[in-house]
Amino acid sequence: MVIGTNEIKKVVLAYSGGLDTSIMITWLKENYNNCEVIAVTGNVGQDAELDGLEEKALNTGASKLYIEDLQKEFVEDYIFPSLKAGAVYENSYLLGTSFARPIIGKRLVEIALAEGADAICHGCTGKGNDQVRFELAVKAFAPTMKIIAPWRTWELKSREDEIEYAEKHQIPLKITRETNYSKDMNLWHLSHEGLDLEDPANEPKYDQILELSVSPEKAPDRPTYLTLSFEKGLPVALDGKKLDGVSLIKALNKIGGANGIGIIDIVENRLVGMKSRGVYETPGGTILYHAHQALETLCLDKETQHFKQGVSNKFAELVYNGLWFTPLRESLSAFVDQTQQTVTGEVKLKLYKGNITNVSLTSPYSLYNEEFASFGEDVVYNQQDAAGFINLFGLPITVQALLNKVGE
Amino acid sequence: MVIGTNEIKKVVLAYSGGLDTSIMITWLKENYNNCEVIAVTGNVGQDAELDGLEEKALNTGASKLYIEDLQKEFVEDYIFPSLKAGAVYENSYLLGTSFARPIIGKRLVEIALAEGADAICHGCTGKGNDQVRFELAVKAFAPTMKIIAPWRTWELKSREDEIEYAEKHQIPLKITRETNYSKDMNLWHLSHEGLDLEDPANEPKYDQILELSVSPEKAPDRPTYLTLSFEKGLPVALDGKKLDGVSLIKALNKIGGANGIGIIDIVENRLVGMKSRGVYETPGGTILYHAHQALETLCLDKETQHFKQGVSNKFAELVYNGLWFTPLRESLSAFVDQTQQTVTGEVKLKLYKGNITNVSLTSPYSLYNEEFASFGEDVVYNQQDAAGFINLFGLPITVQALLNKVGE
Amino acid sequence: MVIGTNEIKKVVLAYSGGLDTSIMITWLKENYNNCEVIAVTGNVGQDAELDGLEEKALNTGASKLYIEDLQKEFVEDYIFPSLKAGAVYENSYLLGTSFARPIIGKRLVEIALAEGADAICHGCTGKGNDQVRFELAVKAFAPTMKIIAPWRTWELKSREDEIEYAEKHQIPLKITRETNYSKDMNLWHLSHEGLDLEDPANEPKYDQILELSVSPEKAPDRPTYLTLSFEKGLPVALDGKKLDGVSLIKALNKIGGANGIGIIDIVENRLVGMKSRGVYETPGGTILYHAHQALETLCLDKETQHFKQGVSNKFAELVYNGLWFTPLRESLSAFVDQTQQTVTGEVKLKLYKGNITNVSLTSPYSLYNEEFASFGEDVVYNQQDAAGFINLFGLPITVQALLNKVGE
Amino acid sequence: MVIGTNEIKKVVLAYSGGLDTSIMITWLKENYNNCEVIAVTGNVGQDAELDGLEEKALNTGASKLYIEDLQKEFVEDYIFPSLKAGAVYENSYLLGTSFARPIIGKRLVEIALAEGADAICHGCTGKGNDQVRFELAVKAFAPTMKIIAPWRTWELKSREDEIEYAEKHQIPLKITRETNYSKDMNLWHLSHEGLDLEDPANEPKYDQILELSVSPEKAPDRPTYLTLSFEKGLPVALDGKKLDGVSLIKALNKIGGANGIGIIDIVENRLVGMKSRGVYETPGGTILYHAHQALETLCLDKETQHFKQGVSNKFAELVYNGLWFTPLRESLSAFVDQTQQTVTGEVKLKLYKGNITNVSLTSPYSLYNEEFASFGEDVVYNQQDAAGFINLFGLPITVQALLNKVGE
């Protein structure tokens, strides 16, 4: 879809204040007849970066800047449903960037519609997953909205090109020529890609990379203990103190980060067909996933637990692929919510130099019963039943073996 | 199936030399007309326990003792196929006990048939998985062989009862009255169950429990580096030195154990319908699984990797449930083997106080290509293709959204 | 669990009035100290058999007979959830017997608890699935209730033995010595097993077997047309006339049966480890499943439709295995219900000699859009997008092929 | 990827002799500097259309025509692996068009490489699956080969436009202006799309549409019986007479077509994001799938059969999506082949007016055993085992129910 330059009078831009989206303001005005550019920043927990943002946006040509505090919604409607689902992409990735895109995309549409904008613009490259996640969110709420993705079409091919463009157009930026990892930060995680990480043969220079956490080597020599309380699959208290989701995650990020928890280094399969390599810091999230899964081993029956493994994988795949606002994701969430009715209890953990160890699991709905599993006598379980069980469970093997014998 | 006491003249007993199987020799002779009892010990890597075993068996009434060295077969035909499959039960358990039962069961049958025995006897309780795993192996190779499982029928209900029985029958055992965790050890792992571990609210007393490994706290303050070489999914060398499977695992157990690697504490779902709690030490195995999975992220394409997740889960479930000798397990292995054709390369890892960190991944079959994923220009990937991709990939969302609009 | 004969003073018996359950009344009184036997018949649509049942029960020794009309509940709470799930066991079996057992088992418990009974007795053999389904329903609502399953323990081994027992005990039955297929009938289906059907090499004698339907050969030479209306996955009207579920199924059974619809002949895998062969008549149910699935192809998006295939299979497996009252079945139903929000519309079908053919599918929520799929021009779909889509979708193939080239 | 017009000197065209590919010869020469066009027709069983094809191709400007007889390879390497897999797309579609594209695409590449061509051109529209299937096959064997898909870029938008173009360029075609369904025929099936079929509310005009078969109404009033013999999952004989795959399918197409077998009318989800509606005739294929699946119910154990359901669905999805030449498809085939070791036996069927009914199933590897399933006495199965089985199988339900009681 080639967009006629005259069709665009007003654009809503997903704005971070970084190099990319700063020069995009100028670029949009240059390429679309000096159109109005409305900048929108969704606050999903990258707080520090928000100071002075409005001035910056206006100075570089935006007509206004929306700063939307999405933190509460982000936690309750995106992070927690994924936590309950146990959604982990390719056994490792806790989806930190993935579920931050739909919520921002949705808000962009709301503002674009309210402002009567003609298009939405984002700063994602044409090689990543984020372009897909943003645009699918736009399509879900404004299926005919025009989308501008400069990285896929403009002539700039690198950070150097961008800086040159900025200087040429006198865009007032405090930028240095030193290159940097490509990062994405929010309440849940911080990702690092690019530069020497491009080659999986290179060990990450953790000392330079890590921001939310320290490496296990630098973590304290003494363990930290904490207790999480869950109600119906949701974390509601830390060390007995009720906390809202945002505060809980912030608190856990601090504790986890200090103990070197949740640093992963993976090669993942992007939706757009290539593999990529990244280092992710998810200190609080890793603790929450660990605690939630441990509690589930107590509260879910085997059949549910095993089937949920497939649901978790599919849920993660959908979220990773930007398919948050889809009937399947919603139906999987309905499944998950039903499974969580009894996932209530307390999980005490020990954190020590990158390790999370269970200290104590308790639940009023625990299906684990000391009596049933122990070696003493009891009423519920009669060991003599096992013979019959094995004979019938193994009957197909017996029949097969008898058949083989006949054939000999 | 009640077995007539006169039907049994010769029994093959799975013998460990422990309390249970020692008194079973006497019990069998007492209950089955002084039948002959042939003891069989499968060596699957629990070496230390084998010294003096023959004397012990004969002293307690066995007519002979077979000590079968199954280590090589155990690694090549059971452990490695599971490693290639990435089989992990309930996201945590590396199946150490599970796949040790079929190989022993199979050898028991071979000896029973060669000796013309009337029955096979094992010392598993009626509450666990092992009885199932043993008996299904027996059924697979001797479907009409009688099976005697004393724990399910005799009057002894506890360790105390057993000791009393031993004393009463003057069975010469060096036993003390102190109780102990229930353990299972082999080349791959060591498991601990029972006593205070029965309650998931109790933190394991790692200092008393651990044998193959030290806790992360007690591991060295400096990391250990190692490099594993894989060929078609199988580990073939450590730090550049070719090693057979048995030696490799032993070497990794030492290195891993010293660094606090591979200790887990889980509540699992037994096949026989109850939950149980165990602490497992799998130092070398945990390293191998980590390395293998990391290499797969480089060498497997996305579709294969994702589908294999379901295969891994099913494979683990089958092995856990004792269904090793079944058409489905064999068919899953055929799938797995085909996926491993390109899983060849080197994985360098850092071990540090319980943490395994990737240092370097390389493979001649790597599908990761720096050029494709990087932000620079290239030939293979044209960013403009992304727009078309997103439009078609997102078409169902667009259609749904348009439909919703019409309905408004 | 051996039940002491003195423990049982009052038994609730699942009673059909057939040979098995008739002599069980006498047998129970004989074996349990002349205990009181309360007969319970759940009416799930086998109407004709209910006349004169009370007299029969009392004459053979029961203290009373409950006849419970469960038809409405059966349709709404068991049949329709399975229909919405698209649950089909092993690609063929529509679960007619499977979901009739839980509802009866549940009512048996309710009556047993109200009557203060000590045990529940059923007439299922020890080789089938029904014993499991009944007993799991009992366990779900009365986990410590005693269960008596005479077929597993008494000395009678055949129909002949039963008749002899009846005559010997002067049980007043109108029975003939002619043997018969083992049947199970309800609102949804009629099953036939046994006799010559035992061998899959034998063609079923349909002329003698069929009761709800005629064979395609005997069906009319002219087709019958009908239209079903669905709302959120549930059938609500036939040919424009609103009908409650029970009436709808009865009406469809007539129409379908007359046209030779829904007769299957299968070898299935029982839960208890053996295969069995049966002929099933499900005329109305087959029409409903066909119509529902056809409507779903219009109203569900691809991702949901494909994932639901796995859910359907699992749902069917659970129901077949008697696991109706379990968290997983309930969670799968939550998933299913969410998917059905838009499964609303009309399905017109043609029935002709065993064939069901779609005549017309319409839905206000249809995701099929003539414009999108047609070969003419349109706005939503730009054919040029396909090139980009294919390049990215096929990127793993390209990368693999390039890698192979390099290796040549 | 915009292709420079001067880069193309020689093009290999997938040629059918129909309107589309005929005018493409002219169009290619017109748009690519009078380049040489080599036409290639893969014979996958659409025989009748091949007469006079060479003359036609040369007359319309091709430099030569390859007619490749791919029938044997098509059956053995594409159809039979799919049959063994039981691959059915969305419960209905037997993949007739899907697996015909990869084999043709592969041969196109072979010829293009041998001829030193610069590009491959196909006549698929930009809205369908076939463009993907062709191009992925090309990418698999010639990842950098240029691909020309005129329908995605040229100015012609309809059949009318094409005819006008042909007349304007004096392309010698015997075409009439009457429109027609879009069809695809090969050894396995014939598909029909377009025109009134575009609306699922329209009943197909079967009398005008059907070519391989008659409607059930027009089929004979007497049934036809046939017997198929399978060896390791492959059909090898018809009524006792050994037949190669091609002859077997041709014979079954005749018999099946005459009896109204294998006509379906479905709405399917295309890979490119839209739904489409089609009528498919697959007479012989439908018989083969039915027979193969029936035999599997006898020869596969439950666990294998159930897991294979998921494999079948995934296999079908891959084939439908053009992912034939991929590691996952090959790995799934390895799984499937292993399952088929015992799928050997005879299946006798009755065909009657659209119905396929089992007459007799026999196999030397049958796991169905009359004795096991019957109601009489036997050795292998002891009914008393069932009590123990149910108690352990139902233990999670019992525990849950006890827990609920405690909570009351």
Side-chain angles (χ1 to χ4, degrees), chain B residues 37-288:
Chain B
V37 177
I38 297 169
V40 178
T41 298
N43 175 7
V44 285
Q46 73 281 39
D47 311 68
E49 306 173 18
L50 302 175
D51 296 333
L53 206 59
E54 184 167 19
E55 198 191 344
K56 200 176 196 178
L58 300 183
N59 283 348
T60 44
S63 65
K64 54 176 133 173
L65 172 69
Y66 284 85
I67 297 188
E68 302 289 303
D69 188 349
L70 305 174
Q71 294 184 89
K72 185 170 182 293
E73 187 184 341
F74 182 40
V75 172
E76 293 176 1
D77 295 350
Y78 297 79
I79 291 179
F80 281 178
S82 302
L83 170 66
K84 287 193 289 184
V88 184
Y89 186 66
E90 296 186 346
N91 297 323
S92 304
Y93 173 42
L94 298 188
L95 301 168
T97 297
S98 312
F99 47 40
R101 294 294 165 261
I103 186 175
I104 297 171
K106 179 165 178 268
R107 192 57 54 102
L108 287 173
V109 171
E110 288 161 359
I111 292 170
L113 294 177
E115 291 275 3
D118 306 301
I120 286 173
C121 175
H122 64 73
C124 310
T125 80
K127 294 197 156 183
N129 300 303
D130 285 343
Q131 56 177 341
V132 187
R133 296 165 184 154
F134 261 127
E135 296 183 25
L136 296 192
V138 172
K139 287 174 192 295
F141 296 101
T144 57
M145 175 69 70
K146 291 183 185 64
I147 295 171
I148 301 173
W151 271 111
R152 296 204 297 253
T153 54
W154 69 15
E155 66 284 6
L156 312 177
K157 293 301 171 207
S158 66
R159 191 171 167 82
E160 288 66 37
D161 291 355
E162 288 187 291
I163 293 172
E164 197 174 313
Y165 181 93
E167 288 171 349
K168 189 172 143 198
H169 291 76
Q170 295 171 303
I171 301 171
L173 292 174
K174 278 188 290 183
I175 43 168
T176 59
R177 282 196 172 268
E178 55 169 331
T179 55
N180 227 327
Y181 295 103
S182 168
K183 296 184 208 174
D184 180 64
M185 182 183 168
N186 59 45
L187 204 54
W188 189 247
H189 96 334
L190 171 58
S191 66
H192 311 268
E193 292 182 294
L195 305 186
D196 57 304
L197 292 177
E198 287 292 325
D199 187 348
N202 293 334
E203 187 175 8
K205 298 168 190 156
Y206 288 112
D207 286 349
Q208 297 170 31
I209 290 175
L210 299 177
E211 298 182 30
L212 296 185
S213 47
V214 299
S215 67
E217 284 92 332
K218 305 217 163 154
D221 288 332
R222 309 201 49 166
T224 302
Y225 289 80
L226 60 85
T227 300
L228 283 161
S229 308
F230 286 84
E231 276 175 22
K232 299 197 175 188
L234 291 180
V236 294
L238 175 60
D239 292 330
K241 192 179 153 201
K242 292 257 169 200
L243 285 179
D244 67 277
V246 175
S247 308
L248 181 73
I249 292 174
K250 286 183 175 171
L252 289 175
N253 277 342
K254 270 206 187 136
I255 306 172
N259 286 287
I261 304 296
I263 304 160
I264 61 168
D265 166 20
I266 58 169
V267 174
E268 77 198 53
N269 292 292
R270 285 191 187 157
L271 170 59
V272 290
M274 68 186 64
K275 287 180 183 283
S276 74
R277 192 262 191 105
V279 167
Y280 298 89
E281 302 176 67
T282 322
T286 301
I287 297 170
L288 282 172

Side-chain angles (χ1 to χ4, degrees), chain A residues 90 126-127 139 198 200 217 269 275 297 300 305-306 350 353 355 361 368 378 381 383 391, chain B residues 90 126-127 139 152 198 200 217 269 275 297 300 305-306 350 353 355 361 368 378 381 383 391:
Chain A
E90 297 187 345
K127 294 196 155 182
K139 287 174 192 296
E198 287 292 324
E217 284 92 331
N269 292 292
K275 286 179 182 284
T297 66
L300 298 189
Q305 220 176 307
H306 289 199
K350 178 171 76 167
K353 285 183 178 287
N355 297 280
L361 308 178
Y368 179 94
D378 66 50
Y381 190 100
Q383 298 202 35
N391 285 337
Chain B
E90 296 186 346
K127 294 197 156 183
K139 287 174 192 295
R152 296 204 297 253
E198 287 292 325
E217 284 92 332
N269 292 292
K275 287 180 183 283
T297 66
L300 297 189
Q305 221 176 306
H306 289 200
K350 179 171 77 167
K353 285 184 176 288
N355 297 280
L361 308 177
Y368 178 94
D378 65 51
Y381 191 101
Q383 298 202 34
N391 285 337

Side-chain angles (χ1 to χ4, degrees), chain C residues 126-127 198 217 350 368 383, chain D residues 198 217 350 368 378 383:
Chain C
K127 295 197 154 182
E198 287 291 326
E217 285 92 331
K350 179 171 76 168
Y368 179 95
Q383 298 202 33
Chain D
E198 287 292 325
E217 285 92 331
K350 179 171 77 167
Y368 178 94
D378 66 50
Q383 297 202 35

Side-chain angles (χ1 to χ4, degrees), chain D residues 376-398:
Chain D
E377 286 161 296
D378 66 50
V379 199
V380 173
Y381 190 100
N382 185 329
Q383 297 202 35
Q384 294 182 29
D385 285 340
F389 177 81
I390 297 170
N391 285 338
L392 269 56
F393 183 73
L395 188 59
I397 291 177
T398 304

